[in-house]
Amino acid sequence: MRMSTRQFAIILSEMVMPEERGEGMSKYSPMMQQYLDIKAKYQDCILFFRLGDFYEMFMEDAEEAARILGIALTGRDAGAAGRVPMCGVPYHAADTYIAKLIVHGKKVAICEQVEDPSQAKGLVDRQVVRIITPGSVLDASMLEGDRPNYLAALCRDGNSFGLALVELSTGEVMVDSYSGRSVPQQLIDDFLRLSPAELVLTKNLAEDETIQRLAQLAGVTACTPIDSSHFGLAKAQRVYAEQYPMMTSADLPSSALQALGAALHYLQEMQQSSLPHLKLPRRVASKDVMHLDASTCRNLELLKGSRSESSAGSLLAVLDHTTTAVGARELKQWITQPLYTVEGIERRLEAVEELSSHHMRRQQLREQLRECYDLERLASRVATGVANPRDLQALGCTLHLLPVLRSLLDEFQAPLLQQIRQELLPMPEIADLLTGALLQDLPVSIREGGIFAPGYNEQLDQLRYAAENGKQWLAQLEAKERERTGIKSLKVGYNKVFGYYLEVTRANLDQVPPHYVRKQTLVNAERFITDELKSREDAILGGEEKQRLLEYELFLELRERVAAYVPAIQQNAHLIAQLDCLQSLAEAAVRNHYVRPQLATDGRIRIAGGRHPVVEQVVGRNRFVPNDLDLDNGETLIITGPNMGGKSTYMRQVALIVLMAQMGSFVPAKSAQIGLVDRIFTRVGAADDLFSGQSTFMVEMMESKVALTEATGNSLILFDELGRGTSTFDGMALAWAIIEYAHNHLGAKTLFSTHYHELTTLAERLPRVRNVCCQVVEEKGELVFLRRVTPGRADRSYGINVAKMAGLPLPVVQRARQILQRIEQRAPADFGALQLTFGDFLLDEAALQAAASSEVMPPQHRQIIEELAAIDPNHLTPLEALNLISAWCHLYLEGEK
C-alpha cells in the first residue's frame, strides 16, 4: 500500500519529543507512550504494533520475538528514555511470522491503526483488534487443512469434571461431563483422542500434575490459566444465553456448561467480537458410536504409524483418498468414532457400494470435489469478519460447483447419496454476486484496493477513470519535459517521502531549467519538482486514496452480506465432507480389493480370508497370507506361536476389520460377517505412562483393569502377551486369572496371545476357550514362518531361532540351545519345582571353558582349523589349494546345520 506524504509526516510527528511540540516533559515519545499504554493491557501477549507498512515490536517483546523468529534485533529512539530494543515484520507477510510464534505457544495481540492517518490530528488512534492464540487461529496459513484445531476448557465442580471444546475455524462445539474425584479415564481418553491445541483452565487445575502430564501427552501447545470466576455457573448460563438466544442450557450438565461458558468468554475476548457461526453444542461421547480409548487408537495405528508422527503406516493412510480439506477432517472422525447403529452403517455401506461400482461417475465426483475450497473454514472467517478478498473469491468458486455436484448425484440411487443431493443448497445468487463482483487477481489486504471488477459500483468506476487519466497525464508530462529540455533520460518517479518528482542524471544537470526545484540528491542523479507537477499530484494521489477507501467500504458491505448465508454454507460444507469420505472409502475398496461386510444380528464375527489393511500394503497383497476367524460372544481365543509368527498382526487385523466395517467401509477379506462391537480394548506393547514413575508392568495392569471393568458382552478385547513385564510365574498366574475372569464374568469376545503354553490347557477346562496357533516349520535348521493361523496349540516359542535370525553371536545362540536342552531334559513334572533344580543346570568355570572349546564349536569347524594348522602353503599347488577351500566350504555348511 502506498503511503502519502501526509501519512509519512504523521508517523514522523508521532516520534517527535513532546517538549518539541510545546507539551509537557515525558520519559517517552508520544508513539512509544501509546505503545506502552496498550501493552499494559496485554501483558501476556506479544504486541504487533502497526506502524506504516510494518508491525513493530519493542522492548521485551522485541527480544523474545527476534529470538523465536530469527530476525534482526535493532533499536529505536524512544525519547528521554533513550533507545529501546525493536524488531519488525512487513504487515503483508505477518501471517508467516505469527504462525511461528503460535507454534511456540505465544499469544499475539494485533494492534491496528483504527483511523485514517491522513485525517488524524496528531497521534494516530490504535487499538488491539484481535488476539491470536494456539486455540483461536482463523488464518488458513496457520492451520493444517486435515486437522481440527480445538480450544479446550476444563473445570472441576465437586466430583464432576466439565470439558468443552470449540473449533473456532469450523464452528464445531462439543461438551461433556465426567464423574470422579480424580481425573476419570474417560476424560483422559477423550482428551488424548481430540488433542486440543490450547487448554483453558482454572489456576488450581493448571497446577495439577496429572493434568499437566495429560496436556503434554495430548500435544497441547499452550495451557492458559484464567480466573475461576469465568467458570461460574451463573456467568456460564448468561454467556450461553447470549450465544444461543433461542436455546436452553437446561439439558447440559452443570460442569459441562461451566466449561463451555469459560471457553466462549475466552474466545470472545480473543476475537474482540461475537461468534455467530458457532454451531449448537453436542456431546463428546455418544451411544451411537463405538468408543475407542487413546491406547486403542495408538496400538491399532489408526491415525499415525508407530514409527512416525505422520499418517504413514496407519489405517488413515490406506483409506484416505479424500480430495477436500473438510473431507480429510471428517474421515479422521469416522475412523476414530465408528458407528454403533445398524441403520447408519448400512446407509454408508450402500453408498460406498454404489460409488465403487461406477468408476466413471466416481472419478467425475472426485474431479469436482478437488476444486472445492474449505467451505467450513471460509464460513467461519466470513462470520468473524476476518475474511479477505481471496477468501470470498474461493467461496464463490466453490459455490458455483454445487449445482454440478447435485447433477452428478442425480444418477445415484443409494439413500444417503440422495439425501446429500437433496440437502445441498446451490445458492446461485450469492455465487453469482461473488464471481461478478471480484477481480481475478486479488490482493490479500482489504485496504489496498484492486478488489472489485468494473461495473460493480458506478462511483468506483469514475474514480478509477480519473486515476487512469492522471497516470496518462504523467506519461505525457514525461514526454513533454524530455522534448522541452532535451534530456532523453529524464523520467517521472514516485516515493512515499516526496511524492512525484522529475529525475535527472548528473551528466544532464546543466540542461535543467531554472524553474525546476531540487528536492533530493542521489549518487548519480538529482530529483526535482515543478509547480505543474505538484498541482496535479494531490488530485492523482487523492483520487487513488478515495478509490482505496471506497473499495474498503464496499468490501465490508459485501462481506457482511455474505455473512447472512453462513448457516447455509456450513450445511453445504458438512455435506461435501460426507460425500468426500464416501468416495474415499469407495476408492480404497476398489484399489485394495475390499468386499462389503455383512452385519450379523447374533453378535458373532466370521471372517474368511481376512487381511491386515496396512501390512498388506507393505508386503504386497499377493504375498500376504490371509486368515480366517470365527468368534462368538463370550468366546476367548488363545493364540500361541513363535515371535514374528504373525500373532499380533492377526489380532490387529481382526480389530481393524471390525472397525472398518462399523465406519461404513468395505473390508480386506473374502467375506466378513460382523456383529456390532461397542468398544475395542487393546493391551498391546508398552504404553505412555500418564502417571509419572509407574513401571511398564504397572501401566500394563492399569490398562488391563480398564478392559476388565468397562467391557461389556458386546466388546472386543485384545490382550497381546499379557504378563511378560514381570516374573514368569507371576505373569502366567495373572494371565490365567484374567482369561478365567473374562470368560466367566464379561462375556466379551477376547483374543489372547501368549508364550505361556501352559495357558492352552484352559481350553480343556473352560467351555468357551479355544486354542489357535501360528504355523511354523524348521527346514535344515532354519525357521520358516507360514503365517497361517490354524486350530491347535504351539509347543515351542522358537525364541532361540529368532535370536539367531536377528544376528546374535553364534556362541550365545549355541550356549542358549545347550541350556534349553538341559532344562527340557531335567525339568520336573511339577513345573513349579523347576527353580529348586535349576542350580543343577549351571556350569562352573571349567565346564564353561570346555563348552567353549568343544561343545560350542561344531566338529566340522574344528576339523577345518586342524587341517589349516597342519598344511604348509609353500608346498601346495594352486589346484590343491582350490580343492582344499572347496572341501572346507562344504564342511563349514555341514557344521551350520
Side-chain angles (χ1 to χ4, degrees):
M1 182 177 70
R2 288 180 175 178
M3 183 188 298
S4 68
T5 306
R6 165 69 173 160
Q7 290 174 304
F8 188 78
I10 289 170
I11 290 177
L12 289 176
S13 72
E14 292 179 338
M15 297 184 290
V16 172
M17 292 296 296
E19 58 270 25
E20 295 177 17
R21 297 162 50 192
E23 301 174 12
M25 293 291 292
S26 173
K27 185 178 179 181
Y28 295 103
S29 65
M31 184 273 292
M32 186 56 64
Q33 188 61 55
Q34 183 188 49
Y35 168 85
L36 292 171
D37 291 343
I38 296 172
K39 173 64 182 176
K41 301 176 184 177
Y42 302 95
Q43 291 290 334
D44 60 341
C45 301
I46 291 179
L47 184 64
F48 269 42
F49 190 78
R50 182 68 178 270
L51 193 61
D53 289 347
F54 282 78
Y55 286 114
E56 305 287 8
M57 289 151 277
F58 301 99
M59 302 179 180
E60 293 87 352
D61 281 2
E63 293 172 343
E64 185 173 26
R67 175 178 53 81
I68 294 173
L69 300 177
I71 58 178
L73 180 67
T74 61
R76 171 165 243 164
D77 189 356
R83 290 179 67 79
V84 297
M86 182 193 80
C87 68
V89 299
Y91 84 96
H92 56 79
D95 287 353
T96 302
Y97 295 99
I98 294 172
K100 290 182 180 179
L101 294 172
I102 294 301
V103 167
H104 282 77
K106 304 302 178 183
K107 299 166 69 174
V108 179
I110 307 299
C111 182
E112 294 284 5
Q113 298 171 170
V114 294
E115 69 172 328
D116 183 355
S118 63
Q119 305 297 320
K121 295 181 179 179
L123 203 60
V124 177
D125 189 18
R126 294 179 175 87
Q127 293 178 12
V128 170
V129 296
R130 63 188 175 115
I131 303 170
I132 304 174
T133 71
S136 63
V137 174
L138 283 168
D139 296 313
S141 61
M142 303 182 200
L143 294 165
E144 296 180 43
D146 62 347
R147 181 180 177 180
N149 191 72
Y150 293 112
L151 171 103
L154 181 65
C155 69
R156 178 161 54 191
D157 182 18
N159 290 335
S160 177
F161 286 81
L163 176 67
L165 298 111
V166 181
E167 221 290 24
L168 189 65
S169 72
T170 65
E172 182 184 10
V173 180
M174 292 185 289
V175 298
D176 226 318
S177 64
Y178 308 84
S179 298
R181 296 181 63 84
S182 59
V183 183
Q185 184 63 42
Q186 181 71 49
L187 170 58
I188 293 172
D189 292 340
D190 288 339
F191 197 89
L192 291 176
R193 175 173 58 84
L194 295 165
S195 297
E198 183 177 3
L199 174 61
V200 174
L201 69 176
T202 62
K203 295 177 181 178
N204 288 339
L205 278 183
E207 297 171 356
D208 187 291
E209 290 185 2
T210 302
I211 298 297
Q212 292 174 357
R213 178 65 173 150
L214 178 60
Q216 180 184 358
L217 290 176
V220 173
T221 303
C223 289
T224 307
I226 61 174
D227 193 273
S228 59
S229 63
H230 297 306
F231 288 91
L233 182 58
K235 183 170 184 177
Q237 290 171 333
R238 184 172 66 255
V239 172
Y240 185 93
E242 292 171 355
Q243 181 66 42
Y244 305 108
M246 305 302 293
M247 305 301 296
T248 175
S249 62
D251 295 335
L252 295 180
S254 61
S255 59
L257 178 60
Q258 289 170 263
L260 178 59
L264 294 175
H265 169 78
Y266 180 78
L267 287 173
Q268 287 168 356
E269 278 199 338
M270 297 304 101
Q271 291 300 305
Q272 306 279 294
S273 66
S274 61
L275 309 170
H277 68 296
L278 295 188
K279 304 168 188 175
L280 288 172
R282 61 181 179 86
R283 298 294 287 266
V284 173
S286 169
K287 60 181 178 61
D288 294 331
V289 300
M290 178 198 298
H291 176 68
L292 299 171
D293 58 32
S295 175
T296 297
C297 291
R298 180 185 63 248
N299 291 332
L300 295 181
E301 299 175 292
L302 298 185
L303 302 182
K304 294 180 180 179
S306 60
R307 299 183 179 183
S308 72
E309 285 299 307
S310 69
S311 64
S314 69
L315 180 64
L316 175 65
V318 176
L319 298 181
D320 189 2
H321 298 282
T322 57
T323 61
T324 68
V326 286
R329 293 195 297 272
E330 184 79 2
L331 184 63
K332 287 185 176 180
Q333 289 197 16
W334 285 23
I335 291 175
T336 56
Q337 291 187 300
L339 299 179
Y340 189 56
T341 63
V342 172
E343 181 185 1
I345 297 169
E346 290 288 8
R347 281 166 60 82
R348 287 185 185 176
L349 289 173
E350 289 172 7
V352 171
E353 183 172 42
E354 189 171 9
L355 284 165
S356 62
S357 61
H358 293 87
H359 175 76
M360 291 302 298
R361 295 184 201 170
R362 188 177 72 255
Q363 294 308 314
Q364 289 174 334
L365 271 176
R366 286 174 57 81
E367 290 170 7
Q368 294 301 317
L369 289 170
R370 192 174 286 111
E371 300 300 318
C372 292
Y373 290 90
D374 194 338
L375 279 186
E376 199 169 37
R377 285 180 167 166
L378 287 173
S380 297
R381 289 175 60 77
V382 169
T384 53
V386 299
N388 60 41
R390 294 181 185 177
D391 291 329
L392 294 193
Q393 184 181 55
L395 180 60
C397 292
T398 304
L399 294 180
H400 265 297
L401 295 172
L402 299 182
V404 182
L405 291 175
R406 278 175 59 99
S407 65
L408 288 173
L409 290 172
D410 283 340
E411 303 179 42
F412 291 96
Q413 302 302 316
L416 182 53
L417 295 176
Q418 277 300 304
Q419 180 182 342
I420 292 174
R421 180 206 168 278
Q422 292 167 7
E423 295 181 2
L424 272 175
L425 304 174
M427 305 171 64
E429 65 287 348
I430 199 71
D432 291 341
L433 172 64
L434 290 174
T435 54
L438 302 173
L439 292 167
Q440 289 297 313
D441 188 13
L442 291 168
V444 174
S445 172
I446 65 176
R447 295 180 179 271
E448 290 185 358
I451 299 173
F452 291 97
Y456 178 73
N457 180 273
E458 183 179 352
Q459 183 183 356
L460 180 60
D461 289 343
Q462 292 174 353
L463 288 172
R464 280 181 177 158
Y465 178 77
E468 289 171 2
N469 282 348
K471 291 176 182 177
Q472 184 179 358
W473 180 87
L474 289 172
Q476 292 173 350
L477 174 67
E478 183 178 84
K480 183 179 71 174
E481 290 299 313
R482 284 181 178 180
E483 181 68 25
R484 191 159 66 87
T485 62
I487 304 172
K488 301 302 182 184
S489 61
L490 181 148
K491 61 182 180 182
V492 175
Y494 173 86
N495 67 27
K496 296 176 180 179
V497 180
F498 300 111
Y500 287 105
Y501 55 79
L502 298 166
E503 185 173 290
V504 180
T505 60
R506 285 196 173 277
N508 296 299
L509 288 179
D510 58 339
Q511 301 180 60
V512 171
H515 66 282
Y516 277 28
V517 179
R518 181 181 288 105
K519 292 296 293 183
Q520 187 179 17
T521 299
L522 305 178
V523 175
N524 296 316
E526 293 198 9
R527 292 171 176 174
F528 303 87
I529 60 171
T530 66
D531 292 340
E532 181 182 21
L533 180 58
K534 281 294 150 186
S535 66
R536 294 297 293 266
E537 178 184 84
D538 291 340
I540 295 171
L541 293 179
E544 291 178 350
E545 185 66 20
K546 288 178 182 178
Q547 179 182 322
R548 285 193 292 270
L549 290 174
L550 178 57
E551 287 205 68
Y552 173 71
E553 294 171 0
L554 291 173
F555 182 81
L556 295 182
E557 292 174 2
L558 178 62
R559 189 169 64 189
E560 189 67 27
R561 187 173 173 183
V562 174
Y565 293 84
V566 163
I569 297 171
Q570 288 178 323
Q571 176 176 317
N572 285 330
H574 177 62
L575 295 168
I576 287 175
Q578 288 189 69
L579 182 59
D580 199 14
C581 285
L582 292 170
Q583 71 78 20
S584 180
L585 295 180
E587 189 73 15
V590 172
R591 293 189 186 191
N592 301 316
H593 303 277
Y594 294 166
V595 299
R596 177 175 176 173
Q598 304 300 314
L599 301 185
T601 57
D602 59 359
R604 200 178 190 97
I605 299 175
R606 301 177 184 87
I607 300 171
R611 315 186 304 274
H612 192 295
V614 180
V615 175
E616 76 166 347
Q617 298 287 319
V618 178
V619 303
R621 189 171 62 88
N622 294 330
R623 296 183 59 197
F624 188 91
V625 179
N627 279 296
D628 303 336
L629 174 82
D630 189 349
L631 189 64
D632 203 353
N633 283 338
E635 284 192 331
T636 297
L637 285 189
I638 297 179
I639 309 167
T640 52
N643 292 308
M644 296 175 56
K647 300 188 301 296
S648 295
T649 298
Y650 178 70
M651 295 172 67
R652 285 181 170 95
Q653 81 183 35
V654 170
L656 289 174
I657 288 173
V658 170
L659 184 148
M660 290 171 66
Q662 290 191 218
M663 65 176 282
S665 170
F666 282 22
V667 298
K670 288 184 178 179
S671 65
Q673 292 179 295
I674 307 297
L676 294 196
V677 167
D678 61 357
R679 289 190 67 167
I680 296 177
F681 297 90
T682 59
R683 168 79 287 282
V684 179
D688 289 314
D689 178 10
L690 178 61
F691 305 97
S692 180
Q694 303 290 7
S695 68
T696 300
F697 179 69
M698 182 63 176
V699 175
E700 182 179 89
M701 291 297 100
M702 294 173 71
E703 290 190 355
S704 299
K705 169 240 180 187
V706 173
L708 296 177
T709 57
E710 298 185 16
T712 72
N714 293 321
S715 299
L716 175 64
I717 307 176
L718 275 59
F719 287 119
D720 190 12
E721 299 184 22
L722 186 71
R724 62 184 173 180
T726 186
S727 72
T728 300
F729 302 115
D730 284 355
M732 186 172 66
L734 282 166
W736 188 299
I738 286 172
I739 293 174
E740 283 187 339
Y741 184 87
H743 178 276
N744 296 331
H745 299 285
L746 297 182
K749 294 178 275 283
T750 305
L751 301 179
F752 197 108
S753 73
T754 184
H755 286 289
Y756 300 135
H757 298 140
E758 294 75 15
L759 296 179
T760 58
T761 60
L762 285 169
E764 301 168 6
R765 301 177 62 252
L766 301 175
R768 295 188 304 280
V769 173
R770 292 187 285 120
N771 289 319
V772 296
C773 64
C774 297
Q775 288 186 325
V776 63
V777 295
E778 277 190 278
E779 294 182 356
K780 297 180 180 180
E782 298 295 329
L783 203 60
V784 178
F785 300 107
L786 302 181
R787 317 279 186 193
R788 180 72 66 186
V789 178
T790 60
R793 60 187 183 183
D795 57 355
R796 294 176 59 190
S797 290
Y798 298 94
I800 296 176
N801 300 70
V802 174
K804 180 181 177 183
M805 294 171 63
L808 260 66
L810 184 60
V812 174
V813 173
Q814 292 176 330
R815 176 68 179 131
R817 279 180 174 155
Q818 279 186 358
I819 294 172
L820 177 63
Q821 184 178 14
R822 294 191 180 192
I823 290 175
E824 290 174 342
Q825 289 172 349
R826 299 196 185 188
D830 180 8
F831 189 76
L834 176 62
Q835 56 186 325
L836 299 177
T837 60
F838 190 73
D840 298 336
F841 308 140
L842 299 180
L843 300 178
D844 58 22
E845 187 63 28
L848 287 172
Q849 290 179 358
S853 63
S854 59
E855 297 180 20
V856 171
M857 183 175 292
Q860 295 90 338
H861 294 183
R862 180 158 296 280
Q863 180 182 341
I864 295 172
I865 295 174
E866 291 172 352
E867 291 181 3
L868 184 61
I871 64 172
D872 182 356
N874 295 321
H875 292 83
L876 281 179
T877 67
L879 181 59
E880 289 173 333
L882 286 173
N883 289 335
L884 275 173
I885 292 172
S886 177
W888 290 341
C889 286
H890 287 295
L891 276 174
Y892 182 84
L893 292 176
E894 285 292 324
E896 282 289 283
K897 292 182 180 179

